Amino acid sequence: MRSLPIPDEDITEIYTTCISKVRNPDLKQRLSQCGDIIEEANTEYDTVARSGELHLIESGVPEGIDITNEELVKVYTSRMVPKKSPGRPYYDKIITSTPHSRCPLCGHRTVTTLDHHLPKAHYPLLSISPINLIPACKDCNTAKDDIEPNSKQEVTIHPYYDNIEKERWLKALVIDSKPVAILFFVEHPKEWDDILFERVKLHFSVLDLNTLYASHAAEELVNIQFSLLLQYEVGGSNAVKDFLEDAAESRQMVHPNSWQTALYQALAASDWFCNEGFNEL
Ligand SMILES: [Zn+2]
């Protein structure tokens, strides 16, 4: 879960560009009349997202508006996503906005798509809103599916509006088993209120991040086993601990809440692992 700068593209400009090549005069006229409510929806979204209250956004299209959900969603799927569609440059700009193409939702896999933070199926007015479009990997996008938040606690973490990178919250536990198992979990930093803690836990569980991180951690352990053995032969468990602490510090300087930081800190803190556990892989 990594934060990204809020996109500064103008919603009216995006919408006007996307519908610029609609040929059907009736559809063009009805879509053109939606420009104002789309801009209003975008503004409301920006306001409530800043206080983590996206559950306050009403789904659907207001009564009296002569447009269907499907017609609005198609502005995204037919006029912003296809390679030669008029809105594609905006799509490309957002999808390439994350460092190293890393998915901000899991912090691990590669970005391949845009995720609608509030799903377009329920919030069609936000289909092309840049602040609702998050670069994401396919797995995170699929896992989030069409979830609609009904309370503040049910709003998953938003990379543009929630910066949770300052505090340490991702922790890991070494299970002294054969093979060694690593359990990842969310710890409650004292700076957070209970609602933010619940939101991060929900995010962690919806995206099944423990399974993702534990599987990569198991592979990492096998990769470093020989290095740990060399350390042990030279300086015993203290040398193993020092090696792991250095690795944790180096990773923490890059991402305090990466699975790698959590893993190395947990390994260094485990006397059992530094003494003998690293042999149990
Ligand atoms: Zn992801």
Side-chain angles (χ1 to χ4, degrees), residues 19-243:
I19 66 170
S20 62
K21 294 196 173 163
V22 175
R23 290 208 184 110
N24 181 321
D26 168 63
L27 177 61
K28 176 114 183 179
Q29 193 229 0
R30 288 185 298 108
L31 284 171
S32 298
Q33 286 179 349
C34 293
D36 287 348
I37 58 164
I38 283 177
E39 188 180 343
E40 283 164 21
N42 187 75
T43 303
E44 184 193 8
Y45 184 103
D46 181 55
T47 303
V48 297
R50 286 175 195 275
S51 53
E53 296 180 303
L54 281 171
H55 64 291
L56 298 177
I57 302 262
E58 289 200 17
S59 57
V61 178
E63 275 184 35
I65 305 293
D66 186 15
I67 203 82
T68 66
N69 286 11
E70 292 72 26
E71 285 169 332
L72 284 174
V73 169
K74 265 188 136 179
V75 175
Y76 174 75
T77 55
S78 301
R79 306 185 183 282
M80 192 169 181
V81 179
K83 286 263 188 263
K84 291 188 176 169
S85 59
R88 179 71 188 202
Y90 299 106
Y91 180 99
D92 287 340
K93 190 166 179 200
I94 297 169
I95 204 169
T96 56
S97 65
T98 170
H100 313 299
S101 297
R102 198 64 57 209
C103 170
L105 301 178
C106 60
H108 183 83
R109 292 178 289 239
T110 305
V111 168
T112 53
T113 187
L114 290 183
D115 174 62
H116 287 80
H117 189 76
L118 288 184
K120 60 185 181 306
H122 301 300
Y123 304 89
L125 290 175
L126 296 162
S127 292
I128 59 154
S129 181
I131 50 181
N132 190 43
L133 294 172
I134 317 287
C137 69
K138 193 168 185 299
D139 286 357
C140 286
N141 182 239
T142 305
K144 280 184 77 246
D145 199 22
D146 286 343
I147 296 173
E148 269 184 277
N150 292 310
S151 67
K152 225 173 165 177
Q153 287 89 335
E154 291 180 19
V155 179
T156 52
I157 298 304
H158 197 311
Y160 299 150
Y161 293 95
D162 297 306
N163 188 341
I164 55 170
E165 296 190 63
K166 294 187 287 291
E167 298 83 24
R168 283 290 323 280
W169 53 265
L170 180 64
K171 294 293 175 77
L173 194 63
V174 179
I175 314 282
D176 53 354
S177 57
K178 185 175 170 59
V180 177
I182 308 294
L183 177 74
F184 290 86
F185 62 97
V186 178
E187 194 173 76
H188 191 162
K190 62 179 184 324
E191 295 86 353
W192 289 5
D193 60 24
D194 290 345
I195 289 175
L196 181 56
F197 180 49
E198 290 302 321
R199 290 179 60 208
V200 177
K201 279 201 300 180
L202 174 72
H203 186 103
F204 195 76
S205 114
V206 165
L207 301 181
D208 197 13
L209 295 182
N210 176 52
T211 303
L212 173 69
Y213 298 162
S215 121
H216 286 281
E219 190 179 5
E220 181 86 350
L221 286 178
V222 174
N223 280 325
I224 62 169
Q225 188 177 31
F226 183 66
S227 299
L228 297 179
L229 187 59
L230 292 181
Q231 294 293 330
Y232 191 83
E233 283 173 358
V234 173
S237 61
N238 283 341
V240 173
K241 191 184 269 286
D242 287 348
F243 175 87

